[in-house]
Amino acid sequence: MKMDLTAMGILAPTHALEDCEPTSEEIAQIQCDRLARVRQELARRDIMAAVLFDPAHVRYATGSRNMQVYSSRNPARYVFVPAAGPVVLFEFSGCEHLASHLPTVDEIRPAKAISYYFNEKNTQAVTRAWADEIIDLVRQCGGGERIAIESATAEAAFMLEQRGYQVLDAQEPLEQARAFKVPNEIKMIRSSLRAVEEGVRKLEASIRPGITENHVWSRLHQHIIETDADFIETRLMNSGPRTNPWFQECSDRIIQAGELVALDTDVVGRYGYYADFSRTFLCGAGEASAEQKSLYRMAYDQIQTNMENLKPGVSFKEYAERAWRIPPGYRARRYFALAHGVGMNGEYPYIVHREDIEDKGYDGILQPGMTLCVESYIGHESGGEGVKLEEQLYIRDDGQVELLSDYPFDERLLSQAV
């Protein structure tokens, strides 16, 4: 079952190959355009250069992919991106050849692994040599006192500050760069979603009484590797009583007939782009209970209402005020965000519920170029099962909103709800 998108004023997802698979020429241009976005945001803040360690940021700025999960906890590869000047990729030892074809990288050097894990008592000396090399690159690009870094070690920041540099957080300019998609970048996102949707179909087909959650969850993992995706960030698939409260990780629990099975994909997929949608299924061939249908209908109504409210020019606070009102008894276990940005992973902005605006929220404007996920979780505070739904959407440059994710809702759960 699918929503009436026309009545909602939302464009339907596309599966056309030319809309979902960038050409080699487009890929090269996307990489260059993303780098230009990073440089633009650095220049706006008078930042001379950024040193990026986060593997998603390295990939965004250069197109380089290498040991993404390993690199997320080990500062073993990084990239020097100046506001103007040569981009230098510091690659893990022996991996310099992996990025030699990229139009965004001017030079590749071996990285200095600046952590205790690699260096033990020599860590300070290695970090000092790292700082010397970064400072030399800054001087070659014209000098300046403001350098942004992220996901490095504390010692790396101290070394730069001791040399008289103002060290800033690179997350702000990178988040702002990534929040607005460059031409044809959306094709990469659609490609990732189409592949993950097929994986979820395989996962759903494997749901049956007597099988474990982990067994079902593995079906998605296998498929995303087969389709050149990277990894799944979380383990958010659960069943029966484990669907409420949310955020219970996948386990070896055996799924029973008539139980709900809920998941959030959270896949870093093709081209490094997040495919992020949620669905809840009914295990077995029987009918859903009245309570299950009621939960599902509430989640569906929340998603539909909040999708309709997703319009360019609407402030985050206005969006929260217009959002579907969660009934008493379900508010305590509401999902923490109404909507969040999405690109290579979850990104700026995060839009929280009206109840949370003053404590946890911030304001901004929904703008063309943004891709966002609209979230729902419905579970009663007294217990029972819960329902998780989520859709991924794109505010196009012409102001129209396009549904990116394309996975059907469960007709047994949605029909004749009370």
Side-chain angles (χ1 to χ4, degrees):
M1 183 175 291
K2 295 186 178 181
M3 294 177 175
D4 185 353
L5 297 176
T6 301
M8 298 168 64
I10 295 175
L11 299 176
T14 177
H15 290 254
L17 185 63
E18 62 271 18
D19 295 327
C20 298
E21 289 296 338
T23 65
S24 58
E25 292 79 9
E26 287 172 337
I27 291 172
Q29 188 60 55
I30 291 166
Q31 292 168 344
C32 291
D33 289 344
R34 292 187 315 211
L35 174 59
R37 287 280 303 139
V38 175
R39 291 185 190 269
Q40 179 185 34
E41 293 297 328
L42 294 176
R44 282 182 57 194
R45 293 163 177 79
D46 193 29
I47 296 173
M48 180 62 201
V51 186
L52 307 178
F53 286 81
D54 185 320
H57 287 168
V58 173
R59 190 168 190 181
Y60 180 85
T62 68
S64 169
R65 175 177 78 169
N66 184 21
M67 301 188 294
Q68 300 296 86
V69 177
Y70 178 86
S71 300
S72 68
R73 65 172 297 271
N74 294 298
R77 59 187 301 266
Y78 46 95
V79 62
F80 174 86
V81 180
V87 173
V88 180
L89 176 64
F90 291 85
E91 189 52 274
F92 191 81
S93 179
C95 298
E96 294 87 348
H97 57 285
L98 295 177
S100 60
H101 64 289
L102 293 171
T104 51
V105 177
D106 298 293
E107 183 182 353
I108 301 174
R109 300 183 185 181
K112 291 180 173 62
I114 52 171
S115 73
Y116 182 87
Y117 165 67
F118 291 107
N119 302 299
E120 206 239 5
K121 64 183 179 182
N122 295 320
T123 300
Q124 190 174 52
V126 173
T127 306
R128 186 179 297 111
W130 172 88
D132 289 341
E133 193 166 20
I134 297 301
I135 290 168
D136 183 60
L137 287 172
V138 169
R139 289 170 178 166
Q140 290 178 33
C141 292
E145 297 179 351
R146 292 162 60 85
I147 302 175
I149 65 174
E150 40 87 87
S151 301
T153 63
E155 187 69 25
F158 297 154
M159 285 289 183
L160 292 174
E161 288 182 335
Q162 289 168 10
R163 309 294 180 84
Y165 288 89
Q166 182 181 359
V167 179
L168 305 168
D169 189 347
Q171 187 174 12
E172 179 186 343
L174 264 293
E175 289 285 349
Q176 287 294 327
R178 293 168 56 192
F180 301 94
K181 305 305 177 280
V182 304
N184 292 315
E185 190 177 357
I186 201 68
K187 293 185 179 182
M188 292 180 167
I189 298 174
R190 293 191 190 112
S191 176
S192 181
L193 280 162
R194 297 297 85 86
V196 172
E197 287 156 6
E198 182 59 32
V200 173
R201 277 187 279 274
K202 293 180 178 180
L203 179 152
E204 183 182 6
S206 73
I207 297 173
R208 63 180 185 273
I211 199 169
T212 67
E213 293 174 353
N214 284 335
H215 189 99
V216 172
W217 190 229
S218 72
R219 294 293 185 263
L220 181 58
H221 285 257
Q222 178 180 348
H223 178 81
I224 67 165
I225 298 305
E226 289 174 344
T227 53
D228 198 34
D230 280 359
F231 54 91
I232 303 177
E233 279 198 327
T234 63
R235 291 176 56 89
L236 291 177
M237 197 203 83
N238 40 55
S239 62
R242 299 186 70 254
T243 59
N244 184 16
W246 187 238
F247 290 116
Q248 298 195 51
E249 293 194 330
C250 196
S251 74
D252 60 0
R253 181 183 184 272
I254 297 175
I255 304 170
Q256 307 296 320
E259 291 183 333
L260 296 180
V261 179
L263 69 88
D264 191 339
T265 55
D266 288 341
V267 174
V268 179
R270 288 177 55 75
Y271 303 107
Y273 280 91
Y274 220 38
D276 190 14
F277 62 94
S278 300
R279 287 295 184 268
T280 299
F281 308 112
L282 180 64
C283 177
E287 286 295 314
S289 69
E291 176 63 21
Q292 289 171 332
K293 291 180 180 181
S294 178
L295 292 167
Y296 200 90
R297 171 56 69 174
M298 284 189 281
Y300 180 88
D301 288 347
Q302 183 178 23
I303 285 287
Q304 181 168 264
T305 298
N306 294 348
M307 284 171 58
E308 288 184 271
N309 290 334
L310 199 69
K311 306 291 183 185
V314 174
S315 75
F316 301 165
K317 289 188 176 182
E318 288 172 332
Y319 183 82
E321 286 300 324
R322 297 175 187 178
W324 186 82
R325 293 187 177 272
I326 303 172
Y330 299 91
R331 292 174 189 164
R333 294 187 175 178
R334 63 188 177 274
Y335 197 76
F336 67 94
L338 285 167
H340 65 82
V342 62
M344 285 189 163
N345 39 38
E347 62 186 28
Y348 174 88
Y350 270 83
I351 306 175
V352 299
H353 294 263
R354 63 176 66 81
E355 298 94 333
D356 305 318
I357 284 287
E358 296 305 319
D359 182 39
K360 304 175 183 177
Y362 53 84
D363 208 3
I365 303 294
L366 294 171
Q367 298 180 58
M370 288 182 168
T371 52
L372 299 107
C373 289
V374 174
E375 300 264 12
S376 173
Y377 174 74
I378 298 294
H380 200 278
E381 61 189 41
S382 65
E385 293 182 298
V387 169
K388 181 72 171 67
L389 298 177
E390 177 186 12
E391 295 280 45
Q392 192 167 334
L393 301 101
Y394 172 45
I395 304 177
R396 302 187 343 168
D397 290 340
D398 61 8
Q400 292 186 287
V401 176
E402 173 189 335
L403 179 61
L404 295 173
S405 48
D406 192 15
Y407 202 89
F409 295 93
D410 194 309
E411 294 187 13
R412 292 180 297 168
L413 288 163
L414 195 56
S415 63
Q416 300 177 352
V418 293

PDB file of all heavy atoms in Angstrom, residues 365-386:
ATOM      1  N   ILE A 365      15.748  27.209   8.574  1.00  0.00           N
ATOM      2  CA  ILE A 365      14.764  27.237   7.492  1.00  0.00           C
ATOM      3  C   ILE A 365      14.951  26.019   6.595  1.00  0.00           C
ATOM      4  O   ILE A 365      16.080  25.691   6.191  1.00  0.00           O
ATOM      5  CB  ILE A 365      14.903  28.514   6.645  1.00  0.00           C
ATOM      6  CG1 ILE A 365      14.756  29.768   7.518  1.00  0.00           C
ATOM      7  CG2 ILE A 365      13.874  28.528   5.523  1.00  0.00           C
ATOM      8  CD1 ILE A 365      13.381  29.952   8.110  1.00  0.00           C
ATOM      9  N   LEU A 366      13.854  25.339   6.282  1.00  0.00           N
ATOM     10  CA  LEU A 366      13.892  24.278   5.272  1.00  0.00           C
ATOM     11  C   LEU A 366      14.123  24.921   3.918  1.00  0.00           C
ATOM     12  O   LEU A 366      13.397  25.839   3.523  1.00  0.00           O
ATOM     13  CB  LEU A 366      12.573  23.507   5.277  1.00  0.00           C
ATOM     14  CG  LEU A 366      12.277  22.706   6.555  1.00  0.00           C
ATOM     15  CD1 LEU A 366      10.852  22.178   6.525  1.00  0.00           C
ATOM     16  CD2 LEU A 366      13.263  21.560   6.704  1.00  0.00           C
ATOM     17  N   GLN A 367      15.126  24.430   3.194  1.00  0.00           N
ATOM     18  CA  GLN A 367      15.531  25.085   1.948  1.00  0.00           C
ATOM     19  C   GLN A 367      15.716  24.081   0.827  1.00  0.00           C
ATOM     20  O   GLN A 367      16.009  22.899   1.064  1.00  0.00           O
ATOM     21  CB  GLN A 367      16.843  25.823   2.170  1.00  0.00           C
ATOM     22  CG  GLN A 367      16.777  26.925   3.212  1.00  0.00           C
ATOM     23  CD  GLN A 367      18.113  27.609   3.375  1.00  0.00           C
ATOM     24  OE1 GLN A 367      18.680  28.151   2.419  1.00  0.00           O
ATOM     25  NE2 GLN A 367      18.642  27.590   4.587  1.00  0.00           N
ATOM     26  N   PRO A 368      15.560  24.543  -0.428  1.00  0.00           N
ATOM     27  CA  PRO A 368      15.847  23.677  -1.571  1.00  0.00           C
ATOM     28  C   PRO A 368      17.276  23.140  -1.506  1.00  0.00           C
ATOM     29  O   PRO A 368      18.194  23.838  -1.071  1.00  0.00           O
ATOM     30  CB  PRO A 368      15.651  24.608  -2.764  1.00  0.00           C
ATOM     31  CG  PRO A 368      14.666  25.626  -2.296  1.00  0.00           C
ATOM     32  CD  PRO A 368      15.024  25.849  -0.846  1.00  0.00           C
ATOM     33  N   GLY A 369      17.434  21.896  -1.935  1.00  0.00           N
ATOM     34  CA  GLY A 369      18.730  21.233  -1.891  1.00  0.00           C
ATOM     35  C   GLY A 369      18.888  20.303  -0.710  1.00  0.00           C
ATOM     36  O   GLY A 369      19.807  19.490  -0.682  1.00  0.00           O
ATOM     37  N   MET A 370      17.993  20.420   0.286  1.00  0.00           N
ATOM     38  CA  MET A 370      18.076  19.566   1.468  1.00  0.00           C
ATOM     39  C   MET A 370      17.400  18.224   1.221  1.00  0.00           C
ATOM     40  O   MET A 370      16.374  18.149   0.554  1.00  0.00           O
ATOM     41  CB  MET A 370      17.405  20.232   2.670  1.00  0.00           C
ATOM     42  CG  MET A 370      18.143  21.399   3.257  1.00  0.00           C
ATOM     43  SD  MET A 370      17.255  22.054   4.716  1.00  0.00           S
ATOM     44  CE  MET A 370      18.503  23.155   5.394  1.00  0.00           C
ATOM     45  N   THR A 371      17.969  17.170   1.757  1.00  0.00           N
ATOM     46  CA  THR A 371      17.297  15.871   1.843  1.00  0.00           C
ATOM     47  C   THR A 371      17.070  15.570   3.312  1.00  0.00           C
ATOM     48  O   THR A 371      17.958  15.794   4.141  1.00  0.00           O
ATOM     49  CB  THR A 371      18.133  14.752   1.195  1.00  0.00           C
ATOM     50  OG1 THR A 371      19.459  14.783   1.734  1.00  0.00           O
ATOM     51  CG2 THR A 371      18.210  14.923  -0.313  1.00  0.00           C
ATOM     52  N   LEU A 372      15.865  15.085   3.625  1.00  0.00           N
ATOM     53  CA  LEU A 372      15.499  14.877   5.025  1.00  0.00           C
ATOM     54  C   LEU A 372      14.745  13.575   5.207  1.00  0.00           C
ATOM     55  O   LEU A 372      14.101  13.083   4.279  1.00  0.00           O
ATOM     56  CB  LEU A 372      14.623  16.028   5.538  1.00  0.00           C
ATOM     57  CG  LEU A 372      15.271  17.414   5.511  1.00  0.00           C
ATOM     58  CD1 LEU A 372      14.664  18.243   4.400  1.00  0.00           C
ATOM     59  CD2 LEU A 372      15.135  18.116   6.854  1.00  0.00           C
ATOM     60  N   CYS A 373      14.826  13.031   6.404  1.00  0.00           N
ATOM     61  CA  CYS A 373      14.038  11.874   6.799  1.00  0.00           C
ATOM     62  C   CYS A 373      12.973  12.323   7.789  1.00  0.00           C
ATOM     63  O   CYS A 373      13.275  13.058   8.733  1.00  0.00           O
ATOM     64  CB  CYS A 373      14.924  10.808   7.442  1.00  0.00           C
ATOM     65  SG  CYS A 373      16.009   9.979   6.278  1.00  0.00           S
ATOM     66  N   VAL A 374      11.736  11.900   7.547  1.00  0.00           N
ATOM     67  CA  VAL A 374      10.619  12.172   8.446  1.00  0.00           C
ATOM     68  C   VAL A 374      10.373  10.911   9.257  1.00  0.00           C
ATOM     69  O   VAL A 374      10.182   9.829   8.706  1.00  0.00           O
ATOM     70  CB  VAL A 374       9.367  12.587   7.652  1.00  0.00           C
ATOM     71  CG1 VAL A 374       8.162  12.719   8.569  1.00  0.00           C
ATOM     72  CG2 VAL A 374       9.622  13.904   6.926  1.00  0.00           C
ATOM     73  N   GLU A 375      10.372  11.048  10.582  1.00  0.00           N
ATOM     74  CA  GLU A 375      10.396   9.905  11.488  1.00  0.00           C
ATOM     75  C   GLU A 375       9.090   9.733  12.256  1.00  0.00           C
ATOM     76  O   GLU A 375       8.393  10.706  12.552  1.00  0.00           O
ATOM     77  CB  GLU A 375      11.505  10.094  12.533  1.00  0.00           C
ATOM     78  CG  GLU A 375      12.904  10.230  11.968  1.00  0.00           C
ATOM     79  CD  GLU A 375      13.655   8.924  11.953  1.00  0.00           C
ATOM     80  OE1 GLU A 375      13.019   7.863  12.165  1.00  0.00           O
ATOM     81  OE2 GLU A 375      14.876   8.959  11.745  1.00  0.00           O
ATOM     82  N   SER A 376       8.785   8.495  12.619  1.00  0.00           N
ATOM     83  CA  SER A 376       7.704   8.205  13.549  1.00  0.00           C
ATOM     84  C   SER A 376       8.035   6.961  14.355  1.00  0.00           C
ATOM     85  O   SER A 376       8.513   5.968  13.807  1.00  0.00           O
ATOM     86  CB  SER A 376       6.376   7.974  12.821  1.00  0.00           C
ATOM     87  OG  SER A 376       5.372   7.547  13.734  1.00  0.00           O
ATOM     88  N   TYR A 377       7.783   7.045  15.655  1.00  0.00           N
ATOM     89  CA  TYR A 377       7.745   5.855  16.486  1.00  0.00           C
ATOM     90  C   TYR A 377       6.542   5.988  17.411  1.00  0.00           C
ATOM     91  O   TYR A 377       6.378   7.006  18.094  1.00  0.00           O
ATOM     92  CB  TYR A 377       9.007   5.656  17.327  1.00  0.00           C
ATOM     93  CG  TYR A 377       8.830   4.484  18.264  1.00  0.00           C
ATOM     94  CD1 TYR A 377       8.876   3.178  17.768  1.00  0.00           C
ATOM     95  CD2 TYR A 377       8.511   4.671  19.602  1.00  0.00           C
ATOM     96  CE1 TYR A 377       8.640   2.101  18.598  1.00  0.00           C
ATOM     97  CE2 TYR A 377       8.270   3.600  20.442  1.00  0.00           C
ATOM     98  CZ  TYR A 377       8.329   2.316  19.928  1.00  0.00           C
ATOM     99  OH  TYR A 377       8.074   1.245  20.740  1.00  0.00           O
ATOM    100  N   ILE A 378       5.694   4.967  17.423  1.00  0.00           N
ATOM    101  CA  ILE A 378       4.514   4.932  18.286  1.00  0.00           C
ATOM    102  C   ILE A 378       4.580   3.692  19.169  1.00  0.00           C
ATOM    103  O   ILE A 378       4.544   2.557  18.678  1.00  0.00           O
ATOM    104  CB  ILE A 378       3.212   4.922  17.460  1.00  0.00           C
ATOM    105  CG1 ILE A 378       3.083   6.194  16.626  1.00  0.00           C
ATOM    106  CG2 ILE A 378       2.001   4.756  18.377  1.00  0.00           C
ATOM    107  CD1 ILE A 378       2.905   7.471  17.419  1.00  0.00           C
ATOM    108  N   GLY A 379       4.702   3.929  20.460  1.00  0.00           N
ATOM    109  CA  GLY A 379       4.683   2.856  21.453  1.00  0.00           C
ATOM    110  C   GLY A 379       4.145   3.406  22.758  1.00  0.00           C
ATOM    111  O   GLY A 379       4.546   4.495  23.185  1.00  0.00           O
ATOM    112  N   HIS A 380       3.228   2.695  23.389  1.00  0.00           N
ATOM    113  CA  HIS A 380       2.602   3.204  24.608  1.00  0.00           C
ATOM    114  C   HIS A 380       3.567   3.104  25.781  1.00  0.00           C
ATOM    115  O   HIS A 380       4.335   2.138  25.888  1.00  0.00           O
ATOM    116  CB  HIS A 380       1.322   2.428  24.931  1.00  0.00           C
ATOM    117  CG  HIS A 380       0.402   3.159  25.838  1.00  0.00           C
ATOM    118  ND1 HIS A 380       0.563   3.173  27.204  1.00  0.00           N
ATOM    119  CD2 HIS A 380      -0.696   3.932  25.583  1.00  0.00           C
ATOM    120  CE1 HIS A 380      -0.393   3.903  27.762  1.00  0.00           C
ATOM    121  NE2 HIS A 380      -1.173   4.377  26.794  1.00  0.00           N
ATOM    122  N   GLU A 381       3.514   4.096  26.647  1.00  0.00           N
ATOM    123  CA  GLU A 381       4.434   4.132  27.782  1.00  0.00           C
ATOM    124  C   GLU A 381       4.203   2.993  28.763  1.00  0.00           C
ATOM    125  O   GLU A 381       5.104   2.647  29.550  1.00  0.00           O
ATOM    126  CB  GLU A 381       4.303   5.469  28.509  1.00  0.00           C
ATOM    127  CG  GLU A 381       2.940   5.749  29.084  1.00  0.00           C
ATOM    128  CD  GLU A 381       2.797   7.167  29.598  1.00  0.00           C
ATOM    129  OE1 GLU A 381       3.284   8.098  28.927  1.00  0.00           O
ATOM    130  OE2 GLU A 381       2.199   7.323  30.677  1.00  0.00           O
ATOM    131  N   SER A 382       3.032   2.367  28.706  1.00  0.00           N
ATOM    132  CA  SER A 382       2.749   1.254  29.615  1.00  0.00           C
ATOM    133  C   SER A 382       3.223  -0.087  29.063  1.00  0.00           C
ATOM    134  O   SER A 382       3.132  -1.113  29.745  1.00  0.00           O
ATOM    135  CB  SER A 382       1.246   1.179  29.904  1.00  0.00           C
ATOM    136  OG  SER A 382       0.517   0.874  28.725  1.00  0.00           O
ATOM    137  N   GLY A 383       3.735  -0.106  27.822  1.00  0.00           N
ATOM    138  CA  GLY A 383       4.261  -1.337  27.243  1.00  0.00           C
ATOM    139  C   GLY A 383       3.472  -1.787  26.037  1.00  0.00           C
ATOM    140  O   GLY A 383       2.766  -1.013  25.397  1.00  0.00           O
ATOM    141  N   GLY A 384       3.590  -3.080  25.708  1.00  0.00           N
ATOM    142  CA  GLY A 384       3.010  -3.598  24.482  1.00  0.00           C
ATOM    143  C   GLY A 384       3.991  -3.440  23.336  1.00  0.00           C
ATOM    144  O   GLY A 384       5.175  -3.147  23.539  1.00  0.00           O
ATOM    145  N   GLU A 385       3.502  -3.636  22.112  1.00  0.00           N
ATOM    146  CA  GLU A 385       4.369  -3.510  20.947  1.00  0.00           C
ATOM    147  C   GLU A 385       4.453  -2.049  20.475  1.00  0.00           C
ATOM    148  O   GLU A 385       3.717  -1.180  20.937  1.00  0.00           O
ATOM    149  CB  GLU A 385       3.849  -4.402  19.821  1.00  0.00           C
ATOM    150  CG  GLU A 385       3.952  -5.891  20.125  1.00  0.00           C
ATOM    151  CD  GLU A 385       3.470  -6.759  18.976  1.00  0.00           C
ATOM    152  OE1 GLU A 385       2.271  -6.666  18.618  1.00  0.00           O
ATOM    153  OE2 GLU A 385       4.287  -7.534  18.449  1.00  0.00           O
ATOM    154  N   GLY A 386       5.366  -1.809  19.547  1.00  0.00           N
ATOM    155  CA  GLY A 386       5.539  -0.478  18.978  1.00  0.00           C
ATOM    156  C   GLY A 386       5.723  -0.549  17.475  1.00  0.00           C
ATOM    157  O   GLY A 386       6.022  -1.611  16.922  1.00  0.00           O
TER     158      GLY A 386
END
